[in-house]
Short mmCIF file of all heavy atoms in Angstrom, two decimals:
data_model
loop_
_atom_site.label_atom_id
_atom_site.label_comp_id
_atom_site.label_asym_id
_atom_site.label_seq_id
_atom_site.Cartn_x
_atom_site.Cartn_y
_atom_site.Cartn_z
N MET A 119 114.13 123.93 95.26
CA MET A 119 114.42 124.02 96.77
C MET A 119 113.24 123.29 97.41
O MET A 119 112.06 123.41 97.06
CB MET A 119 114.46 125.39 97.15
CG MET A 119 114.78 125.58 98.62
SD MET A 119 116.53 125.42 98.83
CE MET A 119 116.76 126.83 100.00
N THR A 120 113.52 122.36 98.26
CA THR A 120 112.53 121.65 99.04
C THR A 120 112.15 122.31 100.33
O THR A 120 112.94 122.96 101.02
CB THR A 120 112.99 120.12 99.28
OG1 THR A 120 111.94 119.49 99.93
CG2 THR A 120 114.28 120.10 100.05
N ARG A 121 110.91 122.19 100.79
CA ARG A 121 110.47 122.77 101.99
C ARG A 121 110.58 121.68 103.13
O ARG A 121 110.28 121.99 104.31
CB ARG A 121 109.04 123.22 101.91
CG ARG A 121 108.06 122.16 101.62
CD ARG A 121 106.58 122.63 101.59
NE ARG A 121 105.70 121.64 101.06
CZ ARG A 121 105.39 120.49 101.61
NH1 ARG A 121 105.80 120.28 102.82
NH2 ARG A 121 104.51 119.70 101.08
N MET A 122 110.95 120.55 102.81
CA MET A 122 111.03 119.37 103.71
C MET A 122 112.30 119.41 104.49
O MET A 122 112.56 118.64 105.42
CB MET A 122 110.82 118.04 103.04
CG MET A 122 109.46 117.89 102.53
SD MET A 122 109.11 116.39 101.61
CE MET A 122 110.00 115.19 102.31
N THR A 123 113.37 120.15 104.13
CA THR A 123 114.59 120.17 104.76
C THR A 123 115.07 121.57 105.12
O THR A 123 114.59 122.55 104.54
CB THR A 123 115.74 119.62 103.76
OG1 THR A 123 115.84 120.43 102.68
CG2 THR A 123 115.49 118.20 103.47
N LYS A 124 115.93 121.58 106.25
CA LYS A 124 116.62 122.88 106.61
C LYS A 124 118.05 122.51 106.68
O LYS A 124 118.39 121.61 107.46
CB LYS A 124 115.90 123.38 107.91
CG LYS A 124 114.56 123.82 107.78
CD LYS A 124 114.11 124.55 108.98
CE LYS A 124 112.74 125.09 108.65
NZ LYS A 124 111.62 124.64 109.39
N ASN A 125 118.88 123.26 105.87
CA ASN A 125 120.26 123.00 105.91
C ASN A 125 120.60 121.54 105.54
O ASN A 125 121.57 120.90 106.11
CB ASN A 125 121.02 123.39 107.27
CG ASN A 125 120.78 124.80 107.55
OD1 ASN A 125 120.81 125.68 106.66
ND2 ASN A 125 120.61 125.18 108.80
N GLY A 126 119.81 120.98 104.69
CA GLY A 126 120.03 119.55 104.21
C GLY A 126 119.59 118.56 105.12
O GLY A 126 119.82 117.29 104.90
N ILE A 127 118.94 118.88 106.28
CA ILE A 127 118.43 117.89 107.19
C ILE A 127 116.93 117.92 107.20
O ILE A 127 116.25 118.97 107.23
CB ILE A 127 118.86 118.23 108.61
CG1 ILE A 127 120.42 118.19 108.62
CG2 ILE A 127 118.43 117.25 109.70
CD1 ILE A 127 121.12 118.63 109.81
N SER A 128 116.27 116.72 107.21
CA SER A 128 114.83 116.66 107.34
C SER A 128 114.23 117.50 108.43
O SER A 128 114.65 117.34 109.55
CB SER A 128 114.40 115.18 107.36
OG SER A 128 112.99 115.20 107.40
N SER A 129 113.20 118.14 108.13
CA SER A 129 112.55 119.06 109.26
C SER A 129 111.28 118.30 109.66
O SER A 129 110.50 118.85 110.45
CB SER A 129 112.18 120.40 108.63
OG SER A 129 111.25 120.24 107.56
N THR A 130 111.06 117.02 109.38
CA THR A 130 110.00 116.23 109.78
C THR A 130 110.06 115.98 111.36
O THR A 130 111.18 115.51 111.84
CB THR A 130 109.97 114.91 109.02
OG1 THR A 130 110.01 115.14 107.71
CG2 THR A 130 108.62 114.13 109.47
N LEU A 131 109.11 116.29 112.03
CA LEU A 131 109.02 116.09 113.48
C LEU A 131 108.60 114.70 113.86
O LEU A 131 107.94 113.98 112.99
CB LEU A 131 108.13 117.09 114.13
CG LEU A 131 108.40 118.62 113.91
CD1 LEU A 131 107.38 119.48 114.46
CD2 LEU A 131 109.77 118.97 114.44
N ALA A 132 108.89 114.20 115.19
CA ALA A 132 108.44 112.89 115.54
C ALA A 132 106.96 112.66 115.41
O ALA A 132 106.17 113.59 115.74
CB ALA A 132 108.92 112.75 117.00
N GLY A 133 106.58 111.56 114.84
CA GLY A 133 105.22 111.17 114.72
C GLY A 133 104.60 111.90 113.45
O GLY A 133 103.29 111.83 113.34
N GLN A 134 105.38 112.51 112.61
CA GLN A 134 104.82 113.33 111.57
C GLN A 134 105.32 112.79 110.19
O GLN A 134 106.34 112.15 110.11
CB GLN A 134 105.28 114.79 111.76
CG GLN A 134 104.75 115.78 110.84
CD GLN A 134 105.36 117.14 111.08
OE1 GLN A 134 106.53 117.28 110.92
NE2 GLN A 134 104.46 118.16 111.44
N GLU A 135 104.51 113.10 109.17
CA GLU A 135 104.88 112.79 107.77
C GLU A 135 104.87 114.03 107.03
O GLU A 135 104.13 114.97 107.32
CB GLU A 135 103.97 111.78 107.21
CG GLU A 135 102.61 112.29 106.84
CD GLU A 135 101.69 111.26 106.17
OE1 GLU A 135 102.14 110.15 105.91
OE2 GLU A 135 100.53 111.63 105.87
N GLN A 136 105.72 114.24 105.97
CA GLN A 136 105.81 115.25 105.03
C GLN A 136 105.94 114.67 103.69
O GLN A 136 106.73 113.66 103.52
CB GLN A 136 107.00 116.20 105.42
CG GLN A 136 106.82 117.02 106.62
CD GLN A 136 107.88 118.13 106.72
OE1 GLN A 136 107.66 119.18 106.24
NE2 GLN A 136 109.01 117.79 107.33
N PHE A 137 105.50 115.39 102.65
CA PHE A 137 105.65 114.91 101.29
C PHE A 137 105.53 116.16 100.43
O PHE A 137 104.89 117.10 100.74
CB PHE A 137 104.63 113.79 100.90
CG PHE A 137 103.26 114.25 101.06
CD1 PHE A 137 102.53 114.76 100.07
CD2 PHE A 137 102.53 113.98 102.34
CE1 PHE A 137 101.19 115.15 100.24
CE2 PHE A 137 101.23 114.42 102.42
CZ PHE A 137 100.48 114.96 101.31
N GLU A 138 106.06 115.96 99.29
CA GLU A 138 105.98 117.07 98.08
C GLU A 138 106.17 116.38 96.80
O GLU A 138 106.89 115.34 96.71
CB GLU A 138 106.90 118.23 98.37
CG GLU A 138 108.34 117.92 98.33
CD GLU A 138 109.18 119.22 98.63
OE1 GLU A 138 109.05 119.76 99.72
OE2 GLU A 138 109.96 119.56 97.74
N THR A 139 105.59 116.93 95.78
CA THR A 139 105.64 116.51 94.47
C THR A 139 106.81 117.24 93.77
O THR A 139 106.93 118.43 93.91
CB THR A 139 104.33 116.82 93.69
OG1 THR A 139 103.32 116.15 94.41
CG2 THR A 139 104.36 116.27 92.34
N PHE A 140 107.48 116.41 92.93
CA PHE A 140 108.52 117.03 92.08
C PHE A 140 108.38 116.39 90.76
O PHE A 140 107.69 115.34 90.56
CB PHE A 140 109.97 116.96 92.66
CG PHE A 140 110.55 115.59 92.71
CD1 PHE A 140 111.30 115.01 91.67
CD2 PHE A 140 110.28 114.75 93.78
CE1 PHE A 140 111.82 113.77 91.76
CE2 PHE A 140 110.67 113.46 93.85
CZ PHE A 140 111.45 113.01 92.81
N TYR A 141 109.07 116.98 89.63
CA TYR A 141 108.80 116.46 88.28
C TYR A 141 110.17 116.24 87.75
O TYR A 141 111.18 117.04 88.01
CB TYR A 141 108.01 117.51 87.49
CG TYR A 141 106.62 117.74 88.02
CD1 TYR A 141 106.37 118.74 88.93
CD2 TYR A 141 105.67 116.92 87.53
CE1 TYR A 141 105.09 118.95 89.41
CE2 TYR A 141 104.32 117.12 88.05
CZ TYR A 141 104.06 118.18 88.91
OH TYR A 141 102.81 118.38 89.39
N LEU A 142 110.25 115.21 86.88
CA LEU A 142 111.40 114.88 86.16
C LEU A 142 111.16 114.47 84.80
O LEU A 142 109.96 114.24 84.43
CB LEU A 142 112.33 113.76 86.87
CG LEU A 142 111.54 112.53 87.24
CD1 LEU A 142 111.79 111.50 86.16
CD2 LEU A 142 112.07 112.00 88.59
N ARG A 143 112.22 114.41 83.89
CA ARG A 143 111.91 113.92 82.58
C ARG A 143 112.38 112.53 82.43
O ARG A 143 113.44 112.12 82.84
CB ARG A 143 112.72 114.77 81.58
CG ARG A 143 112.23 116.13 81.40
CD ARG A 143 111.78 116.38 80.04
NE ARG A 143 111.15 117.69 79.85
CZ ARG A 143 109.97 117.86 79.52
NH1 ARG A 143 109.21 116.91 79.08
NH2 ARG A 143 109.44 119.09 79.42
N GLN A 144 111.50 111.60 81.90
CA GLN A 144 111.82 110.29 81.73
C GLN A 144 111.39 109.83 80.30
O GLN A 144 110.20 109.85 79.98
CB GLN A 144 110.98 109.46 82.87
CG GLN A 144 111.55 108.08 82.98
CD GLN A 144 110.86 107.40 84.15
OE1 GLN A 144 109.72 107.56 84.38
NE2 GLN A 144 111.64 106.66 84.92
N ARG A 145 112.41 109.56 79.60
CA ARG A 145 112.12 109.20 78.12
C ARG A 145 111.37 110.37 77.35
O ARG A 145 110.48 110.04 76.63
CB ARG A 145 111.32 107.88 77.96
CG ARG A 145 112.15 106.74 78.55
CD ARG A 145 111.40 105.44 78.29
NE ARG A 145 112.07 104.37 78.91
CZ ARG A 145 111.65 103.16 78.93
NH1 ARG A 145 110.63 102.72 78.36
NH2 ARG A 145 112.39 102.20 79.56
N GLY A 146 111.79 111.53 77.68
CA GLY A 146 111.14 112.68 77.06
C GLY A 146 109.80 113.16 77.58
O GLY A 146 109.28 114.11 77.11
N LYS A 147 109.25 112.44 78.55
CA LYS A 147 107.99 112.84 79.09
C LYS A 147 108.18 113.35 80.52
O LYS A 147 109.08 112.91 81.32
CB LYS A 147 107.06 111.63 79.14
CG LYS A 147 106.68 111.07 77.79
CD LYS A 147 105.72 109.94 77.94
CE LYS A 147 105.30 109.44 76.59
NZ LYS A 147 104.46 108.31 76.63
N ARG A 148 107.38 114.33 80.95
CA ARG A 148 107.31 114.93 82.27
C ARG A 148 106.61 113.87 83.19
O ARG A 148 105.43 113.57 82.95
CB ARG A 148 106.73 116.21 82.24
CG ARG A 148 106.86 116.95 83.54
CD ARG A 148 106.21 118.31 83.38
NE ARG A 148 106.44 119.02 84.71
CZ ARG A 148 105.56 119.94 85.10
NH1 ARG A 148 104.50 120.31 84.33
NH2 ARG A 148 105.82 120.54 86.34
N VAL A 149 107.33 113.47 84.28
CA VAL A 149 106.75 112.46 85.15
C VAL A 149 106.83 113.07 86.58
O VAL A 149 107.75 113.64 87.04
CB VAL A 149 107.59 111.14 85.10
CG1 VAL A 149 107.12 110.13 86.20
CG2 VAL A 149 107.67 110.60 83.63
N SER A 150 105.70 112.90 87.37
CA SER A 150 105.70 113.35 88.72
C SER A 150 106.08 112.23 89.61
O SER A 150 105.88 111.13 89.41
CB SER A 150 104.29 113.93 89.07
OG SER A 150 103.41 112.83 89.14
N ARG A 151 106.77 112.65 90.70
CA ARG A 151 107.19 111.69 91.75
C ARG A 151 106.90 112.39 93.16
O ARG A 151 106.85 113.62 93.23
CB ARG A 151 108.67 111.38 91.75
CG ARG A 151 108.98 110.51 90.48
CD ARG A 151 108.47 109.15 90.71
NE ARG A 151 108.91 108.29 89.68
CZ ARG A 151 108.04 107.91 88.64
NH1 ARG A 151 106.86 108.43 88.60
NH2 ARG A 151 108.48 107.10 87.69
N ILE A 152 106.63 111.59 94.16
CA ILE A 152 106.41 112.08 95.54
C ILE A 152 107.70 111.79 96.39
O ILE A 152 108.08 110.69 96.46
CB ILE A 152 105.19 111.42 96.14
CG1 ILE A 152 103.96 111.53 95.28
CG2 ILE A 152 104.98 111.88 97.51
CD1 ILE A 152 103.51 112.92 95.09
N MET A 153 108.25 112.82 96.97
CA MET A 153 109.32 112.67 97.93
C MET A 153 108.59 112.73 99.31
O MET A 153 107.80 113.59 99.66
CB MET A 153 110.28 113.79 97.90
CG MET A 153 111.38 113.64 98.76
SD MET A 153 112.81 114.88 98.62
CE MET A 153 111.96 116.32 98.02
N TYR A 154 108.85 111.57 100.08
CA TYR A 154 108.10 111.33 101.39
C TYR A 154 109.05 111.10 102.52
O TYR A 154 109.99 110.31 102.42
CB TYR A 154 107.25 110.13 101.11
CG TYR A 154 106.38 109.75 102.27
CD1 TYR A 154 105.11 110.32 102.50
CD2 TYR A 154 106.85 108.82 103.26
CE1 TYR A 154 104.33 109.85 103.61
CE2 TYR A 154 106.06 108.41 104.29
CZ TYR A 154 104.89 108.96 104.45
OH TYR A 154 104.09 108.58 105.61
N ASP A 155 108.75 111.73 103.64
CA ASP A 155 109.52 111.50 104.88
C ASP A 155 108.51 111.21 105.99
O ASP A 155 107.44 111.77 106.06
CB ASP A 155 110.32 112.75 105.28
CG ASP A 155 111.60 112.99 104.56
OD1 ASP A 155 111.87 112.10 103.67
OD2 ASP A 155 112.21 114.08 104.83
N TYR A 156 108.91 110.27 106.88
CA TYR A 156 108.12 109.90 108.04
C TYR A 156 109.07 109.74 109.20
O TYR A 156 110.06 108.97 109.00
CB TYR A 156 107.28 108.69 107.88
CG TYR A 156 106.62 108.22 109.14
CD1 TYR A 156 105.41 108.86 109.59
CD2 TYR A 156 107.16 107.14 109.80
CE1 TYR A 156 104.90 108.50 110.78
CE2 TYR A 156 106.54 106.76 110.99
CZ TYR A 156 105.47 107.40 111.55
OH TYR A 156 104.85 107.01 112.61
N ARG A 157 108.81 110.37 110.33
CA ARG A 157 109.72 110.23 111.48
C ARG A 157 108.85 109.46 112.58
O ARG A 157 107.74 109.96 112.98
CB ARG A 157 110.23 111.52 111.94
CG ARG A 157 111.31 111.26 113.03
CD ARG A 157 112.03 112.67 113.35
NE ARG A 157 112.66 113.37 112.35
CZ ARG A 157 113.87 113.08 111.91
NH1 ARG A 157 114.59 112.10 112.45
NH2 ARG A 157 114.41 113.82 110.92
N THR A 158 109.40 108.37 113.18
CA THR A 158 108.73 107.74 114.21
C THR A 158 108.64 108.56 115.46
O THR A 158 109.48 109.47 115.57
CB THR A 158 109.41 106.32 114.51
OG1 THR A 158 110.71 106.58 115.06
CG2 THR A 158 109.49 105.47 113.27
N GLU A 159 107.90 108.08 116.44
CA GLU A 159 107.80 108.74 117.76
C GLU A 159 109.30 108.63 118.42
O GLU A 159 109.60 109.59 119.25
CB GLU A 159 106.86 108.20 118.67
CG GLU A 159 105.39 108.42 118.24
CD GLU A 159 105.03 109.90 118.37
OE1 GLU A 159 105.64 110.65 119.26
OE2 GLU A 159 104.17 110.33 117.71
N GLU A 160 110.05 107.69 118.18
CA GLU A 160 111.38 107.50 118.62
C GLU A 160 112.41 108.23 117.94
O GLU A 160 113.62 108.31 118.38
CB GLU A 160 111.81 105.96 118.67
CG GLU A 160 110.91 105.06 119.49
CD GLU A 160 109.58 104.71 118.79
OE1 GLU A 160 109.57 104.62 117.58
OE2 GLU A 160 108.66 104.64 119.48
N GLY A 161 112.05 108.87 116.84
CA GLY A 161 112.97 109.86 116.09
C GLY A 161 113.66 109.21 114.93
O GLY A 161 114.42 109.83 114.26
N GLU A 162 113.22 107.91 114.52
CA GLU A 162 113.88 107.27 113.38
C GLU A 162 113.24 107.75 112.13
O GLU A 162 112.07 107.86 112.08
CB GLU A 162 113.73 105.77 113.54
CG GLU A 162 114.72 105.01 112.62
CD GLU A 162 114.76 103.51 112.97
OE1 GLU A 162 114.26 103.16 114.01
OE2 GLU A 162 115.35 102.82 112.15
N LEU A 163 114.01 108.11 111.04
CA LEU A 163 113.51 108.76 109.95
C LEU A 163 113.34 107.63 108.71
O LEU A 163 114.31 106.90 108.45
CB LEU A 163 114.39 109.86 109.37
CG LEU A 163 113.95 110.58 108.15
CD1 LEU A 163 112.72 111.33 108.37
CD2 LEU A 163 115.10 111.53 107.64
N PHE A 164 112.29 107.67 108.06
CA PHE A 164 112.04 106.85 106.90
C PHE A 164 111.80 107.83 105.63
O PHE A 164 110.96 108.68 105.76
CB PHE A 164 110.80 105.98 107.06
CG PHE A 164 110.38 105.24 105.68
CD1 PHE A 164 111.12 104.13 105.38
CD2 PHE A 164 109.37 105.75 104.99
CE1 PHE A 164 110.70 103.45 104.19
CE2 PHE A 164 108.99 105.00 103.84
CZ PHE A 164 109.57 103.89 103.42
N SER A 165 112.55 107.67 104.61
CA SER A 165 112.38 108.47 103.45
C SER A 165 112.24 107.58 102.16
O SER A 165 112.94 106.53 102.09
CB SER A 165 113.61 109.40 103.15
OG SER A 165 113.74 110.22 104.24
N VAL A 166 111.39 107.98 101.23
CA VAL A 166 111.23 107.19 100.04
C VAL A 166 110.72 108.13 98.97
O VAL A 166 110.15 109.19 99.21
CB VAL A 166 110.24 106.14 100.32
CG1 VAL A 166 108.86 106.60 100.48
CG2 VAL A 166 110.28 105.06 99.11
N VAL A 167 111.00 107.76 97.69
CA VAL A 167 110.52 108.50 96.52
C VAL A 167 109.63 107.39 95.80
O VAL A 167 110.20 106.35 95.46
CB VAL A 167 111.53 109.10 95.61
CG1 VAL A 167 110.99 109.60 94.30
CG2 VAL A 167 112.30 110.14 96.38
N ALA A 168 108.40 107.74 95.38
CA ALA A 168 107.59 106.76 94.71
C ALA A 168 106.67 107.59 93.81
O ALA A 168 106.49 108.78 93.92
CB ALA A 168 106.78 105.93 95.69
N PRO A 169 105.92 106.95 92.85
CA PRO A 169 105.06 107.56 91.94
C PRO A 169 103.85 108.25 92.60
O PRO A 169 103.36 109.25 92.09
CB PRO A 169 104.57 106.58 90.96
CG PRO A 169 105.75 105.53 91.10
CD PRO A 169 106.17 105.52 92.46
N THR A 170 103.31 107.63 93.64
CA THR A 170 102.08 108.16 94.30
C THR A 170 102.33 108.21 95.87
O THR A 170 103.10 107.41 96.36
CB THR A 170 100.95 107.28 94.07
OG1 THR A 170 101.08 105.96 94.65
CG2 THR A 170 100.62 107.12 92.53
N LEU A 171 101.46 108.96 96.58
CA LEU A 171 101.47 109.05 97.94
C LEU A 171 101.08 107.77 98.58
O LEU A 171 101.61 107.28 99.59
CB LEU A 171 100.62 110.20 98.40
CG LEU A 171 100.54 110.44 99.92
CD1 LEU A 171 101.90 110.58 100.52
CD2 LEU A 171 99.62 111.66 100.24
N GLU A 172 100.10 107.09 97.94
CA GLU A 172 99.70 105.80 98.39
C GLU A 172 100.76 104.80 98.48
O GLU A 172 100.97 104.07 99.42
CB GLU A 172 98.58 105.37 97.51
CG GLU A 172 97.88 103.98 98.04
CD GLU A 172 96.64 103.66 97.15
OE1 GLU A 172 96.17 104.40 96.32
OE2 GLU A 172 96.28 102.38 97.28
N GLU A 173 101.61 104.77 97.35
CA GLU A 173 102.74 103.86 97.39
C GLU A 173 103.78 104.20 98.43
O GLU A 173 104.34 103.21 99.06
CB GLU A 173 103.35 103.84 96.03
CG GLU A 173 102.56 103.13 94.94
CD GLU A 173 103.26 103.14 93.52
OE1 GLU A 173 104.41 102.73 93.54
OE2 GLU A 173 102.58 103.55 92.57
N CYS A 174 103.98 105.51 98.67
CA CYS A 174 104.87 105.92 99.79
C CYS A 174 104.34 105.26 101.12
O CYS A 174 105.19 104.81 101.87
CB CYS A 174 104.98 107.30 99.83
SG CYS A 174 105.76 108.14 98.47
N ARG A 175 103.14 105.50 101.35
CA ARG A 175 102.54 105.02 102.60
C ARG A 175 102.52 103.53 102.79
O ARG A 175 102.81 102.93 103.83
CB ARG A 175 101.16 105.62 102.81
CG ARG A 175 101.19 107.01 103.08
CD ARG A 175 99.86 107.63 103.23
NE ARG A 175 99.90 109.06 103.62
CZ ARG A 175 98.94 109.93 103.39
NH1 ARG A 175 97.82 109.56 102.73
NH2 ARG A 175 99.06 111.20 103.82
N ILE A 176 102.34 102.83 101.65
CA ILE A 176 102.50 101.30 101.70
C ILE A 176 103.88 100.93 102.03
O ILE A 176 104.20 100.07 102.88
CB ILE A 176 101.97 100.70 100.30
CG1 ILE A 176 100.53 100.96 100.14
CG2 ILE A 176 102.48 99.30 100.16
CD1 ILE A 176 99.98 100.54 98.79
N LYS A 177 104.89 101.56 101.43
CA LYS A 177 106.31 101.27 101.70
C LYS A 177 106.66 101.61 103.24
O LYS A 177 107.40 100.87 103.87
CB LYS A 177 107.20 102.00 100.73
CG LYS A 177 107.15 101.43 99.39
CD LYS A 177 107.99 102.17 98.38
CE LYS A 177 107.86 101.63 97.04
NZ LYS A 177 108.92 102.04 96.04
N ARG A 178 106.06 102.72 103.67
CA ARG A 178 106.30 103.12 105.05
C ARG A 178 105.75 101.96 106.08
O ARG A 178 106.37 101.58 106.92
CB ARG A 178 105.64 104.43 105.36
CG ARG A 178 105.73 104.89 106.82
CD ARG A 178 104.67 105.73 107.22
NE ARG A 178 103.31 105.12 107.12
CZ ARG A 178 102.24 105.96 107.08
NH1 ARG A 178 102.27 107.19 107.17
NH2 ARG A 178 101.09 105.38 106.97
N ASP A 179 104.47 101.61 105.73
CA ASP A 179 103.86 100.57 106.54
C ASP A 179 104.62 99.21 106.59
O ASP A 179 104.75 98.65 107.64
CB ASP A 179 102.35 100.42 106.10
CG ASP A 179 101.49 101.57 106.38
OD1 ASP A 179 101.90 102.44 107.26
OD2 ASP A 179 100.41 101.68 105.80
N ALA A 180 105.20 98.88 105.43
CA ALA A 180 105.90 97.73 105.29
C ALA A 180 107.25 97.81 106.18
O ALA A 180 107.71 96.91 106.91
CB ALA A 180 106.32 97.36 103.89
N TRP A 181 107.80 98.99 106.12
CA TRP A 181 109.16 99.30 106.87
C TRP A 181 108.70 99.26 108.39
O TRP A 181 109.52 98.64 109.12
CB TRP A 181 109.59 100.68 106.53
CG TRP A 181 110.73 101.12 107.23
CD1 TRP A 181 112.05 100.73 107.16
CD2 TRP A 181 110.75 102.12 108.34
NE1 TRP A 181 112.86 101.39 108.08
CE2 TRP A 181 112.08 102.30 108.71
CE3 TRP A 181 109.72 102.95 108.87
CZ2 TRP A 181 112.40 103.18 109.79
CZ3 TRP A 181 110.09 103.83 109.86
CH2 TRP A 181 111.40 103.91 110.34
N LEU A 182 107.62 99.83 108.74
CA LEU A 182 107.31 99.79 110.24
C LEU A 182 106.98 98.42 110.76
O LEU A 182 107.27 97.97 111.78
CB LEU A 182 106.04 100.66 110.34
CG LEU A 182 106.27 102.18 110.37
CD1 LEU A 182 104.93 102.91 110.34
CD2 LEU A 182 107.12 102.60 111.56
N THR A 183 106.29 97.60 109.86
CA THR A 183 106.06 96.19 110.18
C THR A 183 107.31 95.36 110.32
O THR A 183 107.53 94.67 111.28
CB THR A 183 105.20 95.58 109.08
OG1 THR A 183 103.97 96.28 109.05
CG2 THR A 183 104.84 94.10 109.42
N LYS A 184 108.23 95.54 109.39
CA LYS A 184 109.54 94.86 109.43
C LYS A 184 110.41 95.22 110.65
O LYS A 184 111.08 94.43 111.25
CB LYS A 184 110.28 95.08 108.14
CG LYS A 184 111.60 94.36 108.06
CD LYS A 184 112.23 94.66 106.68
CE LYS A 184 113.50 93.85 106.55
NZ LYS A 184 114.22 94.17 105.31
N LYS A 185 110.26 96.59 110.98
CA LYS A 185 111.04 97.12 112.10
C LYS A 185 110.57 96.53 113.40
O LYS A 185 111.41 96.37 114.32
CB LYS A 185 110.77 98.67 112.15
CG LYS A 185 111.98 99.42 112.62
CD LYS A 185 111.76 100.87 112.25
CE LYS A 185 111.05 101.60 113.39
NZ LYS A 185 111.67 101.64 114.68
N ASN A 186 109.26 96.30 113.58
CA ASN A 186 108.64 95.75 114.79
C ASN A 186 108.62 94.34 114.81
O ASN A 186 108.82 93.38 115.23
CB ASN A 186 107.31 96.37 115.05
CG ASN A 186 107.37 97.85 115.29
OD1 ASN A 186 108.33 98.33 115.74
ND2 ASN A 186 106.35 98.50 114.80
#
């Protein structure tokens, strides 16, 4: 169960980011991933899953740059 959603909808507020770590099995090894949400001040939601928080933020920044 994720703390980032309520009734299947992201609970991330405008201008806020949320993230949490989850684990999966990949080729028999336990691998961690970061689930990341960011909502703009205008209310647009960006979501991504990446190996690290830093990579999530890099992808968010690229999305924001492309959007503007």
Side-chain angles (χ1 to χ4, degrees):
M119 184 84 134
T120 178
R121 62 176 168 72
M122 291 174 43
T123 61
K124 291 190 173 120
N125 297 323
I127 299 171
S128 176
S129 61
T130 307
L131 301 175
Q134 186 181 62
E135 69 178 3
Q136 290 190 88
F137 57 91
E138 63 184 57
T139 303
F140 68 96
Y141 298 90
L142 55 94
R143 290 241 175 239
Q144 195 172 40
R145 297 183 186 179
K147 294 182 180 180
R148 188 174 179 212
V149 178
S150 68
R151 292 288 183 258
I152 305 294
M153 182 171 31
Y154 178 90
D155 282 357
Y156 171 77
R157 191 174 300 274
T158 66
E159 290 291 336
E160 297 79 33
E162 198 168 350
L163 182 66
F164 172 77
S165 295
V166 69
V167 173
T170 66
L171 181 56
E172 184 178 347
E173 287 181 53
C174 291
R175 288 178 174 154
I176 289 169
K177 290 179 182 192
R178 176 206 58 199
D179 292 344
W181 176 75
L182 286 170
T183 301
K184 185 177 178 182
K185 213 170 91 56
N186 295 328

